[in-house]
Amino acid sequence: MNAAAALPAATDAALDVARVRDDFPILAREVYGKPLVYLDSAASAQKPRQVIDAESAVYEEEYANVHRGVHYLSQAATDRFEATRRRVRAFLNARSEDEIVFVRGGTEGVNLVARSWGRTALKEGDEILISTLEHHANIVPWHLLAEEKGLVVKGVPIHEDGQIDMDAYRDLLTERTKLVAITQMSNALGIVTPIEEIVRLAHDAGARTMVDGCQAVSHGAVDVRALDCDFYVFSGHKVYGPTGIGALYGKAELLESMPPWQGGGEMIARVSLERSTFKKPPHRFEAGTPAIAQAIALKAALDYVAGLGLDRIAEHEAMLLDYATERLSSLDGVTIYGTHPNKASILSFNLEGAHPHDVGTIVDRDGVAVRVGHHCAQPAMQRYGIPATVRASFALYNTLDEVDALVASLAKVREFFA
Ligand code: PLP
């Protein structure tokens, strides 16, 4: 973590998963009389007590609307809300907290960039490059914008192993490319992309860059300054924080040049009946009452992962992924999608002769929660000619025993469909 000086210190010892699990009350519950094995953290991570307590403490002790009250509670809530902005700045190693815009999540962050920057900076015939790995949240907003403005959206293909085809990327990058919007980690396959090189090449070609960090942020340190991306988005709920809160990072000079995308309270400098003028970023982009308690509790989540150490979390998850890959490969009829070595925490697969939805439903009866479907990444599914996969995703609280429980349950599925 680059902003380490600003963050709680982690020690060198391996992650103490038993102790970590005690922080997550939901992990103690059973489903269908079986211990819960939660392998769906890529969709949304469970919350530690520290985050749950932080959110309820807001309502019990210091709740009021922010940025608009002279009274004690409003000032206290505003201070804590802005403390999270500073915390997100350190988490991403942005230059200034003014570069951090609160949004509902990654989806809203991408839409903000499309609606504000895209609408004003792009013109007919300009090209946007995305990739086959993108989540729909980083595809559909560009399609909507392309339709409105006559832009062209092009997809960079992936190799059979799931990694971005960098030769194709170089070929697709031209002087017409004005934006490269690509994920740092695929939610469907777990592939970690060579995002530094992608950003560098885009800038060499004169294009702006937007990185979708929704999956990446919980598996390793992010440094937007080193990465030099123009925009970066993530969702709080995937990094053990509440739903309804996330952040958009944008380089100061870009945010400064962008018009508001939504109008309303608290984003204005002055309003008359005839016209409005607007605040500076980030407040220009935060119309209306924000997710106050959720934003405050996001700080607890970021403190939590920093306290454990993102490197140690990544190491633990890599161990789980290696073990799960090995165990699953030993089952007959398993196809794993996304086999490139640069991957993290996600195992996407199918069992021959079994529909993913049936697999998901059967293992659920053993208490094992996996995601089945297209994972909001239909282009990736189309690349492999499949409608869906089963996705097991691992987080800091998962154990080798839980991988065994998944494999034992899958062995039953195999027997069922044999
Ligand atoms: N991008 C990626 C890679 C994702 O995995 C997700 C959610 O699964 C999103 C974007 C959208 O995030 P949210 O639904 O929190 O806005």
Side-chain angles (χ1 to χ4, degrees), residues 226-391:
L227 192 50
D228 195 33
C229 56
D230 297 297
F231 299 105
Y232 190 97
V233 295
F234 78 93
S235 300
H237 69 98
K238 292 186 197 282
V239 63
Y240 310 97
T243 52
I245 188 71
L248 162 70
Y249 157 82
K251 281 183 180 164
E253 66 274 19
L254 269 175
L255 291 180
E256 197 65 58
S257 73
M258 287 161 48
W261 76 304
Q262 291 181 337
E266 289 311 310
M267 45 74 75
I268 55 91
R270 195 170 171 78
V271 176
S272 69
L273 284 178
E274 292 75 31
R275 65 186 291 268
S276 310
T277 54
F278 309 109
K279 282 189 175 148
K280 287 185 167 307
H283 303 289
R284 182 187 297 167
F285 305 106
E286 295 176 358
T289 300
I292 300 164
Q294 291 77 4
I296 293 171
L298 176 61
K299 177 172 182 298
L302 300 183
D303 286 345
Y304 185 80
V305 291
L308 293 178
L310 270 159
D311 288 352
R312 274 197 299 163
I313 293 170
E315 205 173 295
H316 173 71
E317 291 171 343
M319 186 263 297
L320 291 172
L321 181 63
D322 285 351
Y323 181 65
T325 306
E326 192 186 310
R327 295 254 12 229
L328 234 74
S329 307
S330 69
L331 290 179
D332 283 343
V334 171
T335 305
I336 294 174
Y337 301 94
T339 51
H340 189 273
N342 283 354
K343 64 183 288 192
S345 238
I346 284 175
L347 200 49
S348 212
F349 60 94
N350 275 325
L351 285 188
E352 198 183 344
H355 192 282
H357 283 84
D358 292 334
V359 177
T361 307
I362 295 171
V363 302
D364 178 50
R365 286 281 157 175
D366 283 334
V368 180
V370 291
R371 170 90 185 263
V372 294
H374 53 63
H375 317 296
C376 298
Q378 286 186 347
M381 300 295 112
Q382 287 154 10
R383 164 65 178 75
Y384 293 104
I386 51 173
T389 71
V390 183
R391 182 186 73 185

Side-chain angles (χ1 to χ4, degrees), residues 106-117:
T107 303
E108 191 169 271
V110 179
N111 277 279
L112 194 168
V113 176
R115 295 280 104 200
S116 174
W117 177 81

Side-chain angles (χ1 to χ4, degrees), residues 7-262:
L7 306 178
T11 71
D12 284 342
L15 202 60
D16 181 351
V17 180
R19 207 195 58 65
V20 163
R21 287 179 70 85
D22 285 342
D23 290 336
F24 291 79
I26 205 168
L27 297 180
R29 68 158 294 167
E30 297 190 334
V31 291
Y32 308 113
K34 307 269 176 57
L36 169 68
V37 175
Y38 188 75
L39 302 179
D40 196 20
S41 300
S44 200
Q46 298 297 350
K47 317 303 169 202
R49 173 65 66 201
Q50 290 80 342
V51 169
I52 300 167
D53 287 351
E55 190 166 340
S56 17
V58 175
Y59 293 120
E60 288 179 18
E61 295 160 20
E62 278 188 339
Y63 180 75
N65 211 331
V66 291
H67 297 137
R68 62 196 82 198
V70 292
H71 60 77
Y72 177 88
L73 278 186
S74 177
Q75 304 263 359
T78 302
D79 286 350
R80 295 186 61 191
F81 183 80
E82 290 302 322
T84 298
R85 202 187 302 275
R86 290 193 291 280
R87 189 65 188 76
V88 174
R89 185 216 64 76
F91 184 67
L92 298 179
N93 199 29
R95 236 172 235 98
S96 153
E97 64 219 51
D98 293 342
E99 297 180 313
I100 307 299
V101 182
F102 284 126
V103 285
R104 279 192 298 136
T107 303
E108 191 169 271
V110 179
N111 277 279
L112 194 168
V113 176
R115 295 280 104 200
S116 174
W117 177 81
R119 243 177 164 180
T120 43
L122 301 179
K123 57 179 192 327
E124 193 174 343
D126 285 348
E127 294 184 2
I128 298 172
L129 281 191
I130 55 174
S131 87
T132 304
L133 290 178
E134 302 315 308
H135 186 282
H136 296 168
N138 193 26
I139 301 177
V140 185
W142 305 119
H143 285 171
L144 292 171
L145 188 68
E147 185 117 331
E148 182 183 316
K149 303 221 30 154
L151 313 173
V152 180
V153 177
K154 290 187 171 173
V156 182
I158 55 173
H159 293 293
E160 185 63 23
D161 63 8
Q163 188 53 276
I164 303 242
D165 179 339
M166 291 299 284
D167 290 333
Y169 174 56
R170 280 188 197 87
D171 289 346
L172 284 164
L173 259 181
T174 71
E175 71 286 349
R176 290 185 303 280
T177 312
K178 295 295 181 265
L179 176 71
V180 173
I182 286 191
T183 191
Q184 191 172 6
M185 175 178 162
S186 152
N187 69 306
L189 308 179
I191 298 297
V192 175
T193 62
I195 198 68
E196 293 82 2
E197 197 184 348
I198 289 172
V199 168
R200 188 173 50 73
L201 290 170
H203 285 167
D204 289 351
R208 294 289 186 186
T209 52
M210 203 220 66
V211 177
D212 176 352
C214 285
Q215 289 297 328
V217 282
S218 52
H219 307 297
V222 175
D223 182 338
V224 291
R225 261 190 279 180
L227 192 50
D228 195 33
C229 56
D230 297 297
F231 299 105
Y232 190 97
V233 295
F234 78 93
S235 300
H237 69 98
K238 292 186 197 282
V239 63
Y240 310 97
T243 52
I245 188 71
L248 162 70
Y249 157 82
K251 281 183 180 164
E253 66 274 19
L254 269 175
L255 291 180
E256 197 65 58
S257 73
M258 287 161 48
W261 76 304
Q262 291 181 337

